[in-house]
Amino acid sequence: MKIEATPYHYGSGFTVTEPQEQKNRKPLGYSQYSGTVCQQSGQWSTELHAVRQVVSVEKGKVMPYHSGQAVTWQLDDYSVSENLIKPHAAL
């Protein structure tokens, strides 16, 4: 039996229109726990005992605790604001 090689050609019309960073973003509503490494820069929020806390965390930083307790943080926005509380770096 003879198998003929069929070359594959990819069209030149292939383009990537969105930046790679946007493609790899976690979806809004994504959640992470306190003490874990942040997977997506942005504004994160949590609510504990009817107190809502919003923080700005950069990717690679440790997710903060809220009132000394481990909580679940939810991604609200992709922007990182200087005006929001930033968690301390892990020592």
Side-chain angles (χ1 to χ4, degrees), residues 45-54 66-67 71 73:
S45 68
T46 191
E47 193 167 323
L48 181 65
H49 306 298
V51 176
R52 181 175 167 87
Q53 178 75 42
V54 178
H66 178 39
S67 299
V71 294
W73 293 94

Side-chain angles (χ1 to χ4, degrees), residues 48-67:
L48 181 65
H49 306 298
V51 176
R52 181 175 167 87
Q53 178 75 42
V54 178
V55 295
S56 185
V57 184
E58 294 176 7
K59 184 176 181 176
K61 301 288 184 181
V62 176
M63 296 300 290
Y65 290 82
H66 178 39
S67 299

Side-chain angles (χ1 to χ4, degrees), residues 2 5-6 8 17 19 27 31-32 35-38 48-49 52 55 57 60 65-67 70-72 79 86:
K2 183 178 179 184
T6 305
Y8 291 96
T17 57
S31 61
Q32 281 197 248
T36 61
V37 176
C38 182
L48 181 65
H49 306 298
R52 181 175 167 87
V55 295
V57 184
Y65 290 82
H66 178 39
S67 299
V71 294
T72 301
S79 64
K86 291 203 174 190

